Amino acid sequence: QVQLVESGGGLVQAGGSLRLSCAASASTFGIYTMGWYRQAPGKQRELVASLTSSGSTNYADSVKGRFTISRDNAKNTVYLQMNSLKPEDTALYYCNLDTGRLSYWGQGTQVTVSS
């Protein structure tokens, strides 16, 4: 069973920055695709960014140029650096680990951006 624990959310003013972290219990963390998703009230969960084991990244158009996903395989941790935050970035952010057969989720961390 894989456990994912997110941290780093909080309240920030528009234009500010936050860095989210997600620590995974998977012993073979480095071979999996990791992703960050978000869900705002009344909206569907959406992909924010993903990072494969080979280093390929994918970003939602709305965050390109502002957010950066990275990973430290030695620490079994994936990060999401969020800069130039906007009120529309306000959401519950979830970490995801995709083995190709199974998908695991963290409990989420709240990000609130005030205008």
Side-chain angles (χ1 to χ4, degrees), residues 25-49:
S25 64
S27 60
T28 52
F29 172 83
I31 69 173
Y32 301 131
T33 293
M34 298 299 300
W36 286 97
Y37 290 72
R38 66 186 181 188
Q39 188 167 18
K43 295 188 176 181
Q44 289 188 330
R45 190 173 298 188
E46 63 175 356
L47 174 68
V48 176

Side-chain angles (χ1 to χ4, degrees), residues 72-90:
D72 184 338
N73 291 336
K75 296 183 178 179
N76 281 15
T77 301
V78 63
Y79 305 97
L80 185 67
Q81 179 66 44
M82 305 185 295
N83 299 328
S84 302
L85 282 161
K86 304 175 181 179
E88 51 263 46
D89 294 319
T90 295

Side-chain angles (χ1 to χ4, degrees), residues 47-61:
L47 174 68
V48 176
S50 65
L51 175 60
T52 68
S53 59
S54 62
S56 296
T57 57
N58 183 37
Y59 292 94
D61 288 343

Side-chain angles (χ1 to χ4, degrees), residues 10-18 66-67 82 84-91 93 110-115:
L11 174 64
V12 63
Q13 289 189 331
S17 298
L18 284 173
R66 300 188 298 123
F67 291 11
M82 305 185 295
S84 302
L85 282 161
K86 304 175 181 179
E88 51 263 46
D89 294 319
T90 295
Y93 283 70
Q110 179 67 38
V111 172
T112 303
V113 184
S114 63
S115 56

